[in-house]
Amino acid sequence: MNEGGERVDKQKVNKKSIAQLIGIILLIIVAAYVLFVGFTVNVYDIGKIQNTIKYGLDLTGGVNVVLEATSTDGGAVTSDEISSTISTISQRINSIGVSEPTITKQGDNRIRVSIPSISNQEEALSLIGKTAQLEFLGPDDSVILTGQDIEDSKGVMQTDSSGVQKPVVTLKFNEEGTKLFADATQKYIGQVIKIKLDDQVISSPTVNVAITNGEAVIEGQASLDEAGSLAELIRGGALPVTLEPVEVQTIGPTLGQDSLNDTFHACIIGISAVLIFMLLAYRGFGVLADLALIIYIMILLILMTALNVTLTLPGIAGLILTVGMAVDANVLIFERIKEESRLGKSLLTAIDNGFKRALGTIIDSNATTLIAGFVLFFLGSGSVQGFAVTLILGILVSMFTAVVITKQLVKILVKTGLFNNNAFYGL
């Protein structure tokens, strides 16, 4: 009775495991189709993922320029001045319809601007390099004061007369600006004073009372972030900063497209070689490792799209490197399983012990690489940071797929009972 009951239970476990294995394989096929081919309904717009990934300058072509900031008064350029200048440059580039520019601080007084897919590079260089012009205009468009008369501007939360907190932009004028603004607000009570940055109106506040203390508030902001952005633009317009291009690099779209095609083919060849090697070296385990590797690639691409990671040539190199590291973890695990099997352990016991023994080594080796990746990200710039981001994401995902997904796939396959011969698993 007990023996028959055990046989029935075993058959149930086998059927359940077979169903799980088939379901996982079908899920992988459907997910791969949605990601790389596209489906009738694209969930979260991930279909045709190659069209949703953000590509860098080296793949799409464009202009890359390094600007050096110098102060007209001879003093050192501060970090706040660089931050405000970056905000102003970003507004200018977006105003000409360029999507996804990359603007980063480089060193203490330099700014690197990468503009992919731009058609008029001379116009972009002109817009980037000129100094911001901030003006306060009266109702008759006469200039009341300029950015040179503003000492500081911040986005803060302020409580109004009814006790409600609202986001506002504070303005603090210098001595000359205080006098000019006091005269203007006395003259234009109940009228609008326009604030223009680079000939674009960024705010049109109405004068409620005469302001003589050298401080003013701009109301009507929807959020604190919006108030902070406006304050940055005002500070940027007020800065006596000159930007001088010290390095200009132009990349044609043909070179970028050729690089993208070549690296795509290299990825296909490299990943295919890895899949074939694992299949030949570890047989049944190799098949499961290949499935886990495909899952790894899909998860990594989804994360890169969700986090808006810019894919560059060094980033692709990091992607291929992490594919090798993901397989390396599987190799380490399978070799540990082989050692446990040679000691006479049962297959399931050998699998559990093999994963446990390999876990510490996998964590140690990947932790050291993660440290190097974080150092590259925080101390590097441009393409070095792109490589570091891909490397860090790849390592984290590869550890998950190697330790969790591969283990579950292996245990499910063994429990099916379809392949009881150790030779099938390369043992």
Side-chain angles (χ1 to χ4, degrees):
M1 182 69 179
N2 290 338
E3 183 178 352
E6 291 176 359
R7 189 180 298 111
V8 172
D9 290 342
K10 185 176 181 180
Q11 289 175 351
K12 288 182 179 179
V13 170
N14 288 344
K15 290 179 180 179
K16 181 179 178 181
S17 298
I18 292 172
Q20 288 177 340
L21 187 61
I22 293 174
I24 290 172
I25 294 174
L26 290 175
L27 182 62
I28 293 173
I29 293 173
V30 172
Y33 178 79
V34 171
L35 284 172
F36 299 107
V37 180
F39 200 62
T40 305
V41 179
N42 288 335
V43 181
Y44 303 116
D45 199 27
I46 296 176
K48 297 185 179 179
I49 197 165
Q50 69 272 17
N51 296 329
T52 63
I53 290 179
K54 176 181 161 187
Y55 296 102
L57 181 70
D58 51 2
L59 297 178
T60 60
V63 62
N64 182 65
V65 58
V66 177
L67 304 163
E68 187 169 273
T70 56
S71 179
T72 56
D73 59 8
V77 178
T78 66
S79 178
D80 287 341
E81 290 175 337
I82 292 292
S83 177
S84 298
T85 305
I86 288 175
S87 177
T88 304
I89 292 174
S90 178
Q91 185 200 36
R92 292 202 190 107
I93 295 175
N94 290 330
S95 70
I96 62 173
V98 177
S99 61
E100 304 297 350
T102 302
I103 307 171
T104 56
K105 180 181 177 182
Q106 182 173 306
D108 294 328
N109 64 336
R110 289 188 176 186
I111 299 171
R112 178 178 292 274
V113 184
S114 299
I115 315 174
S117 306
I118 189 171
S119 57
N120 193 332
Q121 297 169 357
E122 293 299 327
E123 180 184 357
L125 288 173
S126 175
L127 285 171
I128 292 170
K130 70 178 182 179
T131 303
Q133 298 296 324
L134 182 71
E135 295 177 327
F136 285 67
L137 305 177
D140 56 353
D141 286 336
S142 61
V143 178
I144 299 171
L145 52 83
T146 67
Q148 299 292 334
D149 301 308
I150 296 178
E151 195 171 281
D152 196 14
S153 178
K154 295 179 181 179
V156 299
M157 298 297 293
Q158 189 177 77
T159 304
D160 62 14
S161 57
S162 60
V164 178
Q165 279 201 329
K166 295 181 179 179
V168 299
V169 177
T170 62
L171 299 175
K172 184 178 181 181
F173 300 101
N174 58 22
E175 185 177 349
E176 180 65 19
T178 299
K179 181 180 182 302
L180 292 172
F181 197 65
D183 293 340
T185 52
Q186 287 175 345
K187 181 179 179 181
Y188 299 125
I189 290 179
Q191 301 183 63
V192 172
I193 291 180
K194 290 183 290 187
I195 303 175
K196 294 181 69 175
L197 179 65
D198 287 344
D199 295 325
Q200 180 181 357
V201 177
I202 60 175
S203 182
S204 301
T206 300
V207 180
N208 296 320
V209 295
I211 302 172
T212 59
N213 63 353
E215 296 182 358
V217 171
I218 301 176
E219 300 177 341
Q221 312 306 311
S223 65
L224 183 60
D225 288 339
E226 182 179 329
S229 298
L230 179 56
E232 278 192 1
L233 292 177
I234 293 174
R235 290 199 306 269
L239 294 176
V241 173
T242 302
L243 297 175
E244 183 69 25
V246 295
E247 177 187 335
V248 179
Q249 183 181 21
T250 302
I251 300 176
T254 302
L255 175 61
Q257 187 60 45
D258 290 343
S259 299
L260 181 59
N261 292 334
D262 291 342
T263 51
F264 177 75
H265 294 150
C267 284
I268 294 296
I269 294 172
I271 294 174
S272 298
V274 170
L275 294 175
I276 293 172
F277 169 79
M278 293 299 294
L279 183 61
L280 295 177
Y282 294 100
R283 303 175 189 177
F285 283 156
V287 173
L288 301 179
D290 289 348
L291 288 176
L293 187 59
I294 294 172
I295 295 174
Y296 157 78
I297 295 172
M298 291 191 296
I299 293 176
L300 184 58
L301 291 177
I302 291 173
L303 284 177
M304 290 178 64
T305 302
L307 297 176
N308 202 28
V309 174
T310 300
L311 186 62
T312 61
L313 287 176
I316 293 176
L319 174 63
I320 298 175
L321 175 62
T322 56
V323 168
M325 296 180 66
V327 171
D328 179 65
N330 285 326
V331 169
L332 185 61
I333 290 169
F334 295 155
E335 290 300 325
R336 292 289 186 268
I337 293 175
K338 282 185 177 182
E339 292 176 3
E340 293 293 320
S341 180
R342 293 191 190 102
L343 296 176
K345 305 285 181 64
S346 65
L347 189 55
L348 282 175
T349 302
I351 291 171
D352 285 333
N353 292 346
F355 273 92
K356 289 178 183 178
R357 289 184 57 193
L359 181 60
T361 305
I362 292 173
I363 292 176
D364 289 344
S365 62
N366 283 284
T368 54
T369 311
L370 273 176
I371 292 173
F374 281 113
V375 171
L376 289 174
F377 178 78
F378 287 109
L379 298 184
S381 62
S383 58
V384 175
Q385 285 185 323
F387 172 82
V389 169
T390 310
L391 180 66
I392 292 169
L393 282 177
I395 291 173
L396 295 175
V397 176
S398 69
M399 290 179 64
F400 170 74
T401 54
V403 176
V404 178
I405 293 180
T406 303
K407 181 178 181 180
Q408 295 305 315
L409 289 175
V410 169
K411 295 185 75 172
I412 289 173
L413 180 61
V414 172
K415 288 180 179 180
T416 61
L418 296 175
F419 307 99
N420 293 322
N421 187 353
N422 282 2
F424 173 79
Y425 300 102
L427 302 180

